[in-house]
Amino acid sequence: MPNADVCDYLVIGCCAAGVAGIEGIRKRDKEGSIVVVGEEDVAPYTRCLLTDYMVGEVDMRKLTYRPMRFFEINKVRPMLGKKAVKLDANAKQVTLASGEVLSYRKLLLATGSSAVLYDVPGKELEGVHVLKCLRDAEGILADAKKTKKAVVMGGGLVGIMTATALAEMGLDVCLAVTSPHIMSQNIDDDAAAILEEHLREHKMRVLANAQVVEMIGKHRIEGVKLADGTVIECGVAVSAKGVRPNLALAEMAGIKGRRGILVDDHMLTTSPDAYAAGDVVECKGFISGELEVAHIWPVAVEQGHIAGENMAGGDVAYAGVVGMNTTTFFGLPVVNIGESKNSTPEQGEQFLVSSDTKARRYKKVVLRDGKVVGAVLMGDVDNAGVYKSMICTRVDVRAIREMLLAEEFDFGKLADALLTKQAIPPGQAGA
Amino acid sequence: MRIEADPERCLGCLACEVACVEVHSPSDHVPRLKVTKGIGTEARFRGYSVPVVPRRFPILCRQCDEPACVTACKTGALWKDESGVVRLDRDRCVGCGMCQMVCPYGGVRVDRTAGSAYKCDACVEHGAPACVKACPVHALQLVTEG
């Protein structure tokens, strides 16, 4: 059936990857029709700033990183507050919960991920939250006002940021972490020890190796029980156990994936004309070369942009995921880039470390075969981007190894090293 | 439009840094560009080791064609304007440091206490760039084509 209502581009998901997808499409195709479907009936906002929103440092205006007129400017038909429930990749049709059917020529699946709720008895009690969207933040905020004590379960970035926010709101916060140290997926144990001390100094309780086995309470949460029998009282609990990609649509259409939708370096899925980007995908890691899932903002935006350009006839290849995070906890900035979580070097790796616990400074560079593959910076993070660029350019830094930890190491030193051939980009003869 | 720095000419007098703070005061208390030293190792001359005075590298925003900072910005505070300058809306910036983490040149500075980033805007609101005017050896040049 020829259909006048076929849109050129259909974007499912209206957050980082979806919005970047629209911008990518518009970079190459100014006229093609675009429809975007978003579950929340609000302008695109930044999820990573929700904890700042809770504290009141960021208002709704700043949280909204693209205003409603973004759709008008880019000639996009927004269908917000709607959920896509069915995808038929052969017929190229998406069905919404409201019953509407949308036909497309090219599809972008930017369906993101959902927060995982700690799967223990009592998880359905009132006052137990996850933090993923604005509604969650409002819920935590409302409950936090009724109590003085909070427990956050999970020592990843979302967990610590939520705990920090609750502490700044004046609550007694306990951060219960299953792993031996916080941020175990991001930084090594020594860096984590400094951060833990910093958090404790700011009146936060940090419990490592603390497995939550039950959430206690009649209707409302009254406390959480740990594996060793300890009960921590609380009036609000937040589960920050990471996220799970929203794969339902893709699976329905037979699009392949394991932990996420599989995409090639053009962000194309196993189904022709269906692209995917952001939290929902699994694609090649830049350093490891193996399939990785990343749930971070800059990766989602980059992938979305590339997918959009390729949907509109471009030929842009994605170099691969480089994991990275930057966060400030009670004034202490922490950055991790690339392979930064290991506490002991693997075969062929060398760690360069300088550490000052008292001054809350930590700098670690991970070298593999003379090239930088990871970095952890704490305290002084001014040149974080220079370390990231050394990872991305795969430059051989063996000759300037000693300099990499210096406080004054910056782009000037790297540029000079390149000029004097002490740092060698790949493909150039060794000095 | 961008300001290009020539490390071969730069003397490291810091007149640019002073001019930068001056023109952007009182809103800024740190310069948006920074003059830094190179490595300055030893060289060999007729079999003898001689010290080399390190080159000076004025580090500032390059107004990239495809700016990584704009892509990474979580609040939409950064954008590239029609003249090619990467602009920062202080009012939207929260100082999260995302731009700093992805800039290969260290061209963005972030004041985390004030919750804001600082970067060169080629003095678009002040006429000619103050640092270019202040540089006594023309190590900084305003490039407008492309």
Side-chain angles (χ1 to χ4, degrees):
Chain A
M1 177 181 75
N3 191 343
D5 282 344
V6 178
C7 62
D8 292 319
Y9 308 99
L10 176 59
V11 179
I12 308 291
C14 194
C15 195
V19 169
I22 292 170
E23 290 173 348
I25 294 167
R26 278 291 174 253
K27 192 175 166 192
R28 293 189 176 256
D29 182 350
K30 305 280 181 220
E31 295 304 326
S33 54
I34 304 178
V35 174
V36 61
V37 178
E39 277 185 39
E40 291 174 83
D41 195 8
V42 288
Y45 64 90
T46 310
R47 294 174 197 275
C48 3
L49 291 176
L50 283 171
T51 49
D52 300 76
Y53 173 76
M54 280 162 53
V55 184
E57 276 174 18
V58 166
D59 57 9
M60 204 50 219
R61 194 183 59 87
K62 279 192 183 181
L63 202 62
T64 306
Y65 79 109
R66 294 289 184 271
M68 273 296 184
R69 59 168 201 284
F70 165 82
F71 300 115
E72 202 181 310
I73 294 165
N74 286 289
K75 295 184 214 149
V76 175
R77 182 176 157 217
M79 299 186 78
L80 302 179
K82 305 209 172 205
K83 189 173 165 60
V85 291
K86 201 175 147 213
L87 165 63
D88 183 338
N90 294 322
K92 294 193 176 182
Q93 279 182 336
V94 169
T95 310
L96 305 185
S98 54
E100 288 157 285
V101 178
L102 304 168
S103 298
Y104 62 84
R105 291 199 173 85
K106 304 265 183 192
L107 175 72
L108 175 58
L109 288 167
T111 46
S113 57
S114 302
V116 178
L117 186 60
Y118 227 104
D119 193 15
V120 292
K123 64 180 177 186
E124 65 293 326
L125 288 171
E126 275 177 46
V128 179
H129 299 268
V130 292
L131 178 59
K132 179 70 184 169
C133 63
L134 198 53
R135 206 174 42 238
D136 299 333
E138 301 280 11
I140 297 172
L141 212 50
D143 279 345
K145 282 180 186 151
K146 296 180 206 154
T147 180
K148 283 274 150 228
K149 286 182 178 168
V151 170
V152 177
M153 297 162 280
L157 274 172
V158 174
I160 309 177
M161 282 162 69
T162 309
T164 311
L166 289 166
E168 281 177 359
M169 286 156 65
L171 277 78
D172 276 338
V173 185
C174 176
L175 183 65
V177 185
T178 315
S179 315
H181 64 81
I182 58 173
M183 279 177 83
S184 60
Q185 296 305 304
N186 307 97
I187 59 177
D188 56 280
D189 50 2
D190 290 337
I194 298 178
L195 182 56
E196 282 174 22
E197 196 173 311
H198 182 70
L199 295 177
R200 290 194 179 106
E201 190 184 278
H202 286 84
K203 309 269 182 286
M204 194 188 290
R205 246 177 106 191
V206 182
L207 298 177
N209 298 311
Q211 172 85 42
V212 174
V213 290
E214 195 185 342
M215 299 184 201
I216 306 161
K218 267 191 167 170
H219 302 290
R220 281 199 75 78
I221 180 109
E222 287 162 20
V224 300
K225 192 174 174 186
L226 304 181
D228 65 3
T230 321
V231 173
I232 307 163
E233 266 183 60
C234 67
V236 58
V238 181
S239 161
K241 289 302 287 177
V243 293
R244 192 180 292 133
N246 296 326
L247 292 170
L249 275 187
E251 280 172 352
M252 201 178 291
I255 294 173
K256 279 197 184 133
R258 287 184 312 164
R259 290 177 299 169
I261 300 175
L262 275 176
V263 289
D264 65 9
D265 63 351
H266 281 58
M267 308 316 292
L268 185 64
T269 67
T270 52
S271 171
D273 299 322
Y275 292 74
D279 278 15
V280 77
V281 307
E282 179 172 20
C283 73
K284 195 186 67 180
F286 178 81
I287 300 161
S288 67
E290 285 159 22
L291 290 174
E292 287 180 13
V293 283
H295 304 296
I296 56 171
W297 183 268
V299 166
V301 174
E302 195 182 359
Q303 292 180 344
H305 210 272
I306 289 173
E309 282 203 57
N310 290 333
M311 287 164 77
D315 179 16
V316 187
Y318 181 50
V321 176
V322 179
M324 55 183 155
N325 291 289
T326 171
T327 327
T328 306
F329 303 108
F330 298 114
L332 178 70
V334 181
V335 171
N336 67 282
I337 310 168
E339 315 251 310
S340 52
K341 68 173 180 182
N342 288 348
S343 297
T344 44
E346 286 174 10
Q347 185 76 28
E349 276 185 358
Q350 189 190 5
F351 287 179
L352 310 173
V353 182
S354 84
S355 170
D356 184 344
T357 307
K358 228 176 160 188
R360 305 277 188 263
R361 273 170 184 264
Y362 187 82
K363 198 181 242 188
K364 170 173 167 180
V365 180
V366 181
L367 296 182
R368 192 180 294 158
D369 302 325
K371 299 179 178 90
V372 182
V373 293
V376 180
L377 307 171
M378 202 180 275
D380 173 17
V381 301
D382 278 0
N383 292 294
V386 181
Y387 291 93
K388 176 175 181 277
S389 95
M390 287 191 285
I391 295 175
C392 293
T393 51
R394 296 190 167 111
V395 58
D396 189 327
V397 293
R398 256 173 287 200
I400 55 163
R401 188 164 47 194
E402 309 304 323
M403 220 175 289
L404 297 176
L405 290 179
E407 210 169 291
E408 64 273 16
F409 181 79
D410 57 19
F411 179 69
K413 311 284 179 300
L414 179 63
D416 205 5
L418 285 163
L419 276 173
T420 51
K421 302 217 170 0
Q422 294 179 72
I424 302 147
Q428 291 187 15
Chain B
M1 188 157 75
R2 59 165 64 91
I3 295 163
E4 276 186 5
D6 182 357
E8 302 299 335
R9 281 174 177 263
C10 179
L11 300 173
C13 72
L14 309 187
C16 52
E17 290 193 13
V18 175
C20 182
V21 175
E22 193 185 1
V23 77
H24 294 115
S25 69
S27 70
D28 290 24
H29 54 277
V30 286
R32 297 176 184 190
L33 83 170
K34 189 176 171 230
V35 179
T36 169
K37 284 181 196 164
I39 303 171
T41 45
E42 292 183 333
R44 306 293 292 181
F45 180 70
R46 291 189 179 164
Y48 293 96
S49 168
V50 287
V52 171
V53 177
R55 282 191 190 83
R56 308 288 165 150
F57 290 84
I59 294 181
L60 73 168
C61 172
R62 307 248 176 144
Q63 323 291 354
C64 300
D65 291 335
E66 306 229 332
C69 57
V70 173
T71 309
C73 180
K74 289 196 284 198
T75 60
L78 286 164
W79 80 101
K80 199 165 166 73
D81 74 10
E82 307 75 40
S83 61
V85 175
V86 177
R87 305 283 297 275
L88 170 71
D89 181 352
R90 283 273 175 81
D91 199 30
R92 291 200 72 86
C93 181
V94 294
C96 70
M98 205 60 111
C99 48
Q100 191 179 50
M101 183 171 63
V102 297
C103 175
Y105 309 109
V108 194
R109 309 176 84 171
V110 177
D111 184 338
R112 278 158 216 268
T113 343
S116 184
Y118 296 84
K119 71 172 290 301
C120 168
D121 61 357
C123 285
V124 278
E125 279 156 23
H126 303 279
C131 58
V132 174
K133 273 194 284 185
C135 181
V137 291
H138 307 293
L140 294 168
Q141 303 271 6
L142 181 68
V143 180
T144 47
E145 81 274 354

